[in-house]
Amino acid sequence: MTGPSRPVRRGDRAHRFDLRSTALFFVLLALVLCLVAFVVRTAARVVENRPLWACTLLVVGVAAAGLSRSRWRRFSAARYARRAAEALEEAAEEASGELDDVPAAGEAAPAVPPTVRRDASGEAYAAVPPGVQVLAEECPGVYTVQVTEGAAAPAGEGTTVALDPQPDYAALDPDDFEQAIADLCARDHCREVEVIGGACDLGADVLAVTSDGRRLVIQCKRYAEGNKVGSQDLQRFGGTCFTVHEADIAALVTTSDFTLPALEYAQQCGIVCVNGEDLLAWREGTGPSPWERADLFA
């Protein structure tokens, strides 16, 4: 089985040994040392032969150093102000992006996760259990199914059950969307599924262990259709998913899509991207899960 993807450290090439650069460095260092020795020797001669000139040059040098220092402080203050303005602008952009996660007034109430309920006994299932086959639809949301031996319900033919409609992920609030993704993981045989989304989640909304024992870390982004997940979202998630949460598989699941820079960054770091179409295919069983997708693109 192919091993999990790991972040690629792009900075390793910058630390390779370069003979030409090293030789040039030592040549420049020798020239600087020779220049310093010449200046010191000349200064010593001036002090010995013309002490008045030496004192005058010293006073002028101190004054010039003081003026340059004051100017440097002004330049530094301007640079710090510019950095502060950039930080405020970035924070404003991040806040405006997070506002898209808040449902608008009058928006439809969150849909109920898919369940199967027997009419006679009232037993409920998180999804259609193994061994249950849908035979016919009696009316919208009510189906006739056949339950075989060893299934979660008593065996029989012609059992009538009610199937709730699939959830509209775009209509869920962020907490319910995270729970819906956790339900998909549990449906596909993940263990130790946990929703930890919140202010202190450090980029992880859902934690789980796949059926083959790999640690899965998922971040959920319930964005509007026109609001794509950008590279900054991937960079923040990539900074914690492997180092802090020790993920074997890291995935970002969204209801919208990803920008091209975000996809390029995810490919470099080994993060699985699941957009809205991929999410629907995963839910319907016609597409791979995030951990299966990681194996496909490994």
Side-chain angles (χ1 to χ4, degrees), residues 3 38 73 118 147 186 191 200 217 227 289:
F38 174 76
R73 286 182 176 177
R118 289 178 53 84
V147 182
R191 309 187 307 271
C200 301
V217 177
N227 184 20
S289 62

Side-chain angles (χ1 to χ4, degrees), residues 5 19 51-52 56-57 60 74 98 103 110 113 119 124 126 129 158 165 178 184 234 266 278:
S5 300
L19 180 60
L52 181 60
T56 303
L57 290 175
V60 172
R74 288 198 296 270
E98 292 180 353
D119 289 344
E178 293 169 3
L184 287 179
L234 267 297
D278 298 333

Side-chain angles (χ1 to χ4, degrees), residues 235-251:
Q235 290 172 13
R236 284 190 288 268
F237 181 49
T240 59
C241 60
F242 293 108
T243 57
V244 176
H245 299 291
E246 299 179 350
D248 294 320
I249 301 172

